[in-house]
Amino acid sequence: MEETWREAVEERRMPAGPTGQYRGRIAPSPSGHLHVGHAQTFFIAKQRAEKYHGELVLRIEDIDIQRCKPHFLPDMVEDLTWFGLQPSEGYGTTTSVHDDFVQSKRFDLYKQAWKILYDQGYIYPCTLSRRDVEHALSAPQDTSHTASQAEATPTPTATATTTATSGTTNIPNEPVLPAELRPDFVRATPYRPGDHAHFPEKFQHLQAPTDMRINWRFRVPDYTSPDVDEAHDASIAFDDVSCGTQTFTAMHDYGDFLVWRLDGYPSYELAVVVDDILMGVTEVVRGQDLLISTCRQLLLMRAIFGLDFRQRRCWHAPADVGAPIGGLREKQEEEGEAAAAAVGEAEEDIDGESPAQKRARNGSLSDHHPAVTSSVPAQTPSTWHYARLSSHPTGSILDGSAYFRIPQYYHAPLMCDEDGRRLAKRNFAKSLRKMREEGLSPAEIQAKYFHSAFLSSPTL
């Protein structure tokens, strides 16, 4: 008999936190006053937490020190409370240690994540900034390479920028770094090598990302690679609660991305992944402009925590566990063995070495990754292990890794200004604080600005 989604959930279910199954989060940055677009997204997160009798965590994402200002923090908490978006846990609550929910206080955790990526060879040093990539993509460059350098500058073949289309909306994205711009020592090494032995000597034996002042990028799989595994891995698909099935392709819709900046700070992608997993978040509600970020974060979750997004058991159950799975992950699992067999045959055809011989020579992913186990135990309330929240851990971020899961995703509609641009903190007139000063009530703001379509949506 075919296993239903509800049966799969009952077998593998893990409660989201000590007091309930659903665990959502809102995560503003104190770079200005909250605007009505934030309020709409946070309102959805609050409604879903209440609908499923769950928890809502307030996390402060303040790692962008150039833009974030501490004096905005109390204003944010005050505006959230006024709008009726009080969290049940996290920053500003009386039941939580505030530092544990402030990203700038959690660097010890992010450094551990960087070390895992570094030791396993998922990342590489690179001196190219976003501006450098844009410049390289707009003009011919010297095609010479130096293996000892952390960058390369050949003639680019990609377009200057990309706009990913995913069945829902056009998503402006950052420039895709072409494979030709990778350092020579990266280009000459197979995808996911398992260690950093291919690094130049000066990049060997590092203990922390701050040991050298340089950018660190995550190497994504390339869909044009002759390696069958890598080309297959480049396609990432996931079910979004709001937008439906989303599919993106690495090195087309997005390229190698930063995980640690040369100024000594982790990237948004790395910090969010660590926090969402360790805080036990079961569903992430955020704007549709971050759909591609989800692909990057799924790759990081697999690399750091061993959570394979292609395996249903690695995901938190949808909040509505009675709903059908939507077809995507079920289809992936049904086709998994056939795909693996096809890949194996192709591998043997290419180099004459069987998959079994490759595994014996290279070891499995479980051998290389401390967080991956051959089977994930079923979770029940009696076996609940609450993820470490402390900003100064005494153990490893992988403690209790068998209980970690990938959150579901709900990418909400964006609110735009009069020119059709996504609303941002530059739109001071649309800030909650300004509207509050003008005498508008939360109910009036909702009626005037919120999308009527999502207010009546059955997914809310």
Side-chain angles (χ1 to χ4, degrees):
M1 179 183 295
E2 183 178 357
E3 180 186 49
T4 66
W5 174 235
R6 178 176 291 278
E7 289 169 346
V9 167
E10 293 301 329
E11 178 185 352
R12 304 178 179 92
R13 174 177 296 181
M14 178 184 67
T19 61
Q21 177 186 349
Y22 184 97
R23 188 169 169 85
R25 51 84 158 172
I26 53 178
S29 297
S31 56
H33 287 122
L34 298 175
H35 57 65
V36 68
H38 293 123
Q40 176 176 278
T41 301
F42 296 165
F43 178 83
I44 295 174
K46 178 72 170 178
Q47 291 292 99
R48 290 184 63 75
E50 291 179 348
K51 177 179 180 179
Y52 297 108
H53 310 288
E55 301 164 329
L56 188 65
V57 176
L58 173 58
R59 184 173 74 221
I60 304 301
E61 298 189 344
D62 62 342
I63 54 175
D64 190 344
I65 58 171
Q66 293 183 341
R67 296 176 59 243
C68 295
K69 308 299 179 184
H71 67 266
F72 285 120
L73 279 173
D75 290 353
M76 281 175 33
V77 174
E78 184 178 299
D79 290 345
L80 288 170
T81 301
W82 171 77
F83 204 78
L85 298 174
Q86 302 94 329
S88 53
E89 186 180 345
Y91 188 87
T93 64
T94 58
T95 58
S96 304
V97 178
H98 290 188
D99 281 1
D100 290 344
F101 298 88
V102 178
Q103 286 189 336
S104 61
K105 306 294 185 181
R106 296 171 61 82
F107 275 33
D108 289 348
L109 299 168
Y110 309 145
K111 288 178 180 178
Q112 284 194 40
W114 175 90
K115 190 64 163 59
I116 293 171
L117 296 173
Y118 170 79
D119 286 344
Q120 299 300 320
Y122 284 99
I123 58 177
Y124 63 88
C126 180
T127 61
L128 296 177
S129 66
R130 174 171 177 160
R131 182 177 299 177
D132 293 332
V133 176
E134 290 174 340
H135 177 71
L137 290 170
S138 63
Q141 298 291 324
D142 180 8
T143 58
S144 61
H145 300 275
T146 303
S148 62
Q149 294 178 342
E151 76 279 8
T153 53
T155 302
T157 57
T159 56
T161 58
T162 64
T163 300
T165 304
S166 183
T168 301
T169 184
N170 287 336
I171 307 161
N173 192 28
E174 67 182 33
V176 175
L177 187 147
E180 292 86 353
L181 284 181
R182 290 168 171 165
D184 278 357
F185 63 84
V186 174
R187 297 195 309 130
T189 307
Y191 169 66
R192 201 166 61 191
D195 59 46
H196 56 268
H198 58 295
F199 286 1
E201 178 62 29
K202 65 179 179 179
F203 298 116
Q204 295 283 350
H205 313 299
L206 301 182
Q207 298 302 312
T210 51
D211 287 352
M212 294 196 70
R213 193 175 186 276
I214 197 167
N215 292 319
W216 290 89
R217 288 184 180 271
F218 186 96
R219 178 181 178 178
V220 302
D222 188 347
Y223 76 101
T224 66
S225 172
D227 182 278
V228 179
D229 282 341
E230 179 176 3
H232 176 265
D233 224 19
S235 178
I236 294 182
F238 61 93
D239 285 330
D240 185 85
V241 178
S242 174
C243 303
T245 298
Q246 302 294 301
T247 304
F248 296 97
T249 303
M251 296 304 288
H252 177 270
D253 297 319
Y254 61 97
D256 297 352
F257 55 91
L258 288 177
V259 297
W260 207 280
R261 308 191 317 238
L262 60 81
D263 60 4
Y265 289 86
S267 70
Y268 163 81
E269 312 289 5
L270 180 69
V272 164
V273 162
V274 171
D275 290 344
D276 284 344
I277 296 299
L278 295 189
M279 291 181 181
V281 173
T282 64
E283 183 177 80
V284 172
V285 177
R286 57 190 180 192
Q288 289 180 4
D289 56 323
L290 293 173
L291 277 165
I292 286 181
S293 279
T294 298
C295 296
R296 301 185 184 107
Q297 291 166 23
L298 291 175
L299 289 172
L300 286 174
M301 289 176 189
R302 182 173 65 179
I304 298 170
F305 296 103
L307 296 170
D308 188 347
F309 51 87
R310 300 184 191 279
Q311 297 295 321
R312 184 171 60 191
R313 62 182 174 82
C314 291
W315 289 75
H316 279 291
D320 184 2
V321 295
I325 190 170
L328 175 60
R329 287 188 297 280
E330 190 171 54
K331 181 180 179 181
Q332 288 174 339
E333 288 199 349
E334 289 174 353
E335 297 179 348
E337 292 186 4
V343 169
E345 292 175 3
E347 286 179 338
E348 190 165 8
D349 289 343
I350 291 173
D351 55 19
E353 186 176 34
S354 71
Q357 290 172 320
K358 287 181 181 290
R359 286 192 294 270
R361 175 169 55 82
N362 296 327
S364 66
L365 180 60
S366 299
D367 296 330
H368 294 303
H369 201 297
V372 179
T373 56
S374 58
S375 63
V376 177
Q379 318 304 328
T380 65
S382 62
T383 61
W384 167 251
H385 175 90
Y386 194 61
R388 182 184 301 277
L389 291 176
S390 173
S391 54
H392 300 285
T394 56
S396 167
I397 61 171
L398 299 181
D399 289 347
S401 59
Y403 297 88
F404 296 159
R405 294 293 186 278
I406 302 170
Q408 298 291 320
Y409 289 92
Y410 186 116
H411 287 87
L414 298 178
M415 188 172 293
C416 299
D417 61 17
E418 293 78 3
D419 298 323
R421 297 181 301 172
R422 178 176 64 88
L423 207 62
K425 289 173 182 174
R426 63 177 177 270
N427 306 93
F428 177 72
K430 298 294 191 298
S431 74
L432 293 185
R433 182 146 295 242
K434 180 68 172 178
M435 293 180 179
R436 180 181 173 189
E437 292 172 351
E438 293 173 349
L440 289 177
S441 69
E444 289 172 328
I445 293 173
Q446 292 176 28
K448 183 176 181 179
Y449 292 101
F450 285 14
H451 286 282
S452 59
F454 89 76
L455 289 173
S456 60
S457 171
T459 63
L460 188 56

